[in-house]
Amino acid sequence: MKHIVIIGNGISGVTAARHIRKNSEDKITIVSAENKYFFSRTALMYIYMGHMKFEHTQPYENWFWSKNNIDLKEGFVGKVNTQNKVLEFTNGENLSYDKLIIATGSKPNKFGWPGQDLDGVMGLYHKQDLENLEKYAPNKETCKRAVIVGGGLIGIELAEMLRSRKIPVTFLVREKSFWNGVLPAQESEMINKHIKEHHIDLRLSTNLKEIKSDENGRVKSVIIEETGEEIFCDVVGLTAGVTPNINFLKESNIETKRGVLVNRFLETNIEDIYAIGDCAEQHEAIGQRRNIEAVWYTGRMMGETVAQTICGNKTAYKPGHWFNSAKFLDIEYQTYGWVFSERSKKDNEAYFQWQHPKENKCITISFDKDSNKFLGINTFGIRMRHEIFDKWLTEDRNIEHVLEYLADANFDPEFYKLHEAEILAKFNSENNTNIQLKKKSWKRIFSKA
């Protein structure tokens, strides 16, 4: 019987353990320093906002692990001895393995700001971050203002959390418009307006210079780089992206770059050692994807994939077409395929865009301007079916087909106002076409690609 050890009990590590157990009787141990039991990291915000309790974020009952012969070990790995196949813990304990899966996830970026390690400075990634929020920002009386540094998805989640407790928030974003390195200008500008409507002090083109301390080593204020302005606050949220959590591997002979370098089979340069999830870095990017993808669903897919390989069915990691979803305060966002911001858009790519005149709803469809091939779609405020766009991308459909059958993709609840006719009318007007909208067909929707 082999001993398979997994460092990290996030979605990647736990998925790998579950799928190995389905296909193997080998001994499995999951090691974690954060929390004994797996929980849904993406639900942390809803605990703080009072929508859930922590136990509601645990998909499995505590008895699940022993029933499935998966051992859970709490501890912090300080070093991996690959020669002897031993994990060395910071408390002096050791654990031997036959096969090792590194699934240690990410940690918030820090860029050497003075004061970045003061009490009251935190990210929003670990359970301990949630505990720190409860300590330093339980209410608006204890936390009279919070400053968030970094304009990504985690930053806007943290802003929504703090505002749910009426805590004033200043949001420092170095870009000229929110997330404009990812979103086209139409969408980025809509999010700017929406953030301000939620009484969040959004500061664009603004960088943090330093975090100042009070006499007790706690956050007192931040200094703005451009103007020297001092903003007094009790909490600073660092949400300027994440980086792979791999410091404990620096003295090992496991090859790393920003993350743990892996091939298409998620194998490292050391036999019997694999890396998955946020900490894994592909030697060569898959299509237009990034070498490192800190995304929940790709972590789950990597866990499923590596489990097959470990159980004797060597399987390459194939994530398929890019997709993602998020929420910007009250606006739901989905993306399928590739829609780049104006500054990243390639020469052959064109946009078709529609925006509702009053509501926070818009779409951007990206297509090849020579062939009209559909490349991707961003949708805000309108729910769309993943399976439909995945099928159209696989079939290399053109933008005319997408618009003609757009009603099939709509996934909004019953009685919601539909906008496909308006969207198509705008496209026809701009492109001198006469595409006719097809009525929604459940037969088409549920037919296999």
Side-chain angles (χ1 to χ4, degrees):
M1 183 184 291
K2 296 191 295 292
H3 186 196
I4 299 163
V5 175
I6 302 166
I7 309 176
N9 73 340
I11 185 63
S12 305
V14 164
T15 300
R18 288 179 46 246
H19 283 262
I20 291 168
R21 179 52 72 232
K22 287 179 182 180
N23 296 288
S24 168
E25 295 298 319
D26 287 333
K27 179 178 174 61
I28 301 172
T29 301
I30 299 177
V31 176
S32 174
E34 180 182 13
N35 192 61
K36 184 174 182 179
Y37 299 109
F38 168 59
F39 67 93
S40 176
R41 197 174 303 282
T42 54
L44 284 176
M45 67 180 293
Y46 299 111
I47 302 170
Y48 183 85
M49 293 171 71
H51 301 168
M52 306 174 75
K53 294 181 179 179
F54 183 73
E55 54 265 32
H56 298 154
T57 71
Q58 296 178 241
Y60 308 104
E61 299 287 350
N62 292 349
W63 51 256
F64 171 87
W65 309 100
S66 57
K67 180 180 179 181
N68 286 278
N69 294 318
I70 297 173
D71 295 333
L72 305 179
K73 178 172 176 56
E74 293 182 272
F76 194 90
V77 178
K79 185 178 178 182
V80 179
N81 184 331
T82 59
Q83 197 164 15
N84 297 319
K85 290 192 169 183
V86 171
L87 302 184
E88 299 176 8
F89 290 82
T90 53
N91 65 0
E93 294 182 21
N94 291 333
L95 181 68
S96 62
Y97 64 86
D98 295 299
K99 291 183 182 290
L100 177 66
I101 302 173
I102 301 167
T104 47
S106 298
K107 59 183 180 179
N109 282 331
K110 292 183 177 182
F111 296 102
W113 295 296
Q116 66 183 17
D117 296 316
L118 290 171
D119 292 338
V121 180
M122 63 200 72
L124 181 61
Y125 188 85
H126 299 102
K127 180 173 181 280
Q128 287 75 15
D129 296 325
L130 182 65
E131 293 165 354
N132 279 330
L133 265 181
E134 287 291 359
K135 179 179 178 180
Y136 295 106
N139 51 54
K140 63 181 180 179
E141 287 74 32
T142 302
C143 180
K144 294 181 173 57
R145 178 167 294 276
V147 173
I148 298 171
V149 182
L153 297 178
I154 298 175
I156 201 162
E157 282 186 1
L158 182 55
E160 181 178 0
M161 291 164 65
L162 292 161
R163 289 302 298 142
S164 74
R165 298 196 184 184
K166 306 284 192 287
I167 295 171
V169 173
T170 296
F171 203 169
L172 309 184
V173 176
R174 67 179 181 178
E175 289 84 9
K176 293 180 181 178
S177 185
F178 187 87
W179 220 31
N180 67 349
V182 177
L183 299 177
Q186 164 184 272
E187 298 155 8
S188 177
E189 289 162 8
M190 183 178 74
I191 300 302
N192 292 339
K193 182 171 176 285
H194 190 60
I195 290 170
K196 292 175 182 177
E197 287 172 347
H198 279 72
H199 308 291
I200 295 167
D201 176 24
L202 177 63
R203 307 282 190 97
L204 299 171
S205 301
T206 303
N207 286 277
L208 172 68
K209 181 180 180 182
E210 67 173 302
I211 305 168
K212 301 195 79 170
S213 170
D214 67 10
E215 63 276 9
N216 299 312
R218 288 184 56 164
V219 169
K220 181 183 77 171
S221 62
V222 301
I223 304 296
I224 302 301
E225 185 174 283
E226 287 77 11
T227 63
E229 178 189 358
E230 184 173 16
I231 301 174
F232 290 92
C233 58
D234 301 287
V235 162
V236 175
L238 300 183
T239 61
V242 294
T243 192
N245 184 22
I246 61 167
N247 284 351
F248 70 103
L249 298 176
K250 295 303 182 184
E251 294 181 13
S252 76
N253 53 358
I254 299 170
E255 192 177 356
T256 64
K257 201 171 179 182
R258 284 188 58 231
V260 182
L261 288 167
V262 295
N263 62 17
R264 290 291 190 266
F265 298 96
L266 306 171
E267 299 166 322
T268 70
N269 63 309
I270 305 296
E271 188 177 1
D272 294 330
I273 298 182
Y274 308 80
I276 58 176
D278 295 14
C279 69
E281 179 176 0
Q282 289 283 331
H283 277 282
E284 297 178 6
I286 299 174
Q288 296 189 76
R289 288 173 174 266
R290 295 179 178 179
N291 298 66
I292 300 173
E293 290 188 316
V295 181
W296 182 90
Y297 80 87
T298 58
R300 177 179 53 78
M301 292 172 71
M302 288 187 210
E304 294 174 358
T305 300
V306 80
Q308 291 295 315
T309 294
I310 283 177
C311 293
N313 177 28
K314 192 166 184 176
T315 303
Y317 171 57
K318 297 178 181 178
H321 299 298
W322 169 254
F323 71 94
N324 203 5
S325 63
K327 190 165 73 74
F328 297 92
L329 300 167
D330 302 323
I331 305 175
E332 293 184 11
Y333 157 70
Q334 296 167 281
T335 184
Y336 304 106
W338 296 109
V339 181
F340 297 105
S341 68
E342 282 85 354
R343 71 189 196 194
S344 302
K345 193 167 64 167
K346 297 176 177 61
D347 291 341
N348 67 306
E349 293 168 2
Y351 289 158
F352 164 68
Q353 295 186 303
W354 170 87
Q355 184 168 12
H356 194 280
K358 296 180 180 178
E359 299 176 32
N360 289 317
K361 297 180 180 181
C362 67
I363 66 166
T364 298
I365 301 178
S366 174
F367 62 100
D368 186 294
K369 62 186 178 184
D370 298 320
S371 66
N372 278 4
K373 177 183 171 182
F374 170 60
L375 301 176
I377 184 170
N378 283 354
T379 171
F380 286 77
I382 303 172
R383 295 179 186 174
M384 298 285 192
R385 295 178 190 276
H386 173 203
E387 296 83 359
I388 294 290
F389 286 110
D390 196 64
K391 178 180 177 181
W392 290 341
L393 288 163
T394 298
E395 294 174 344
D396 288 334
R397 295 293 187 177
N398 58 28
I399 187 172
E400 291 86 356
H401 179 93
V402 169
L403 290 165
E404 185 178 1
Y405 293 96
L406 194 59
D408 287 357
N410 188 291
F411 194 52
D412 272 335
E414 194 176 8
F415 305 123
Y416 267 51
K417 182 171 174 56
L418 302 177
H419 301 285
E420 288 81 19
E422 303 161 42
I423 293 167
L424 186 52
K426 185 173 190 285
F427 183 87
N428 281 333
S429 173
E430 290 178 353
N431 294 276
N432 196 29
T433 53
N434 189 32
I435 303 168
Q436 300 296 310
L437 183 68
K438 290 284 195 291
K439 187 176 179 182
K440 177 181 283 191
S441 164
W442 294 106
K443 183 177 181 181
R444 281 196 305 267
I445 290 169
F446 293 113
S447 67
K448 293 184 178 179

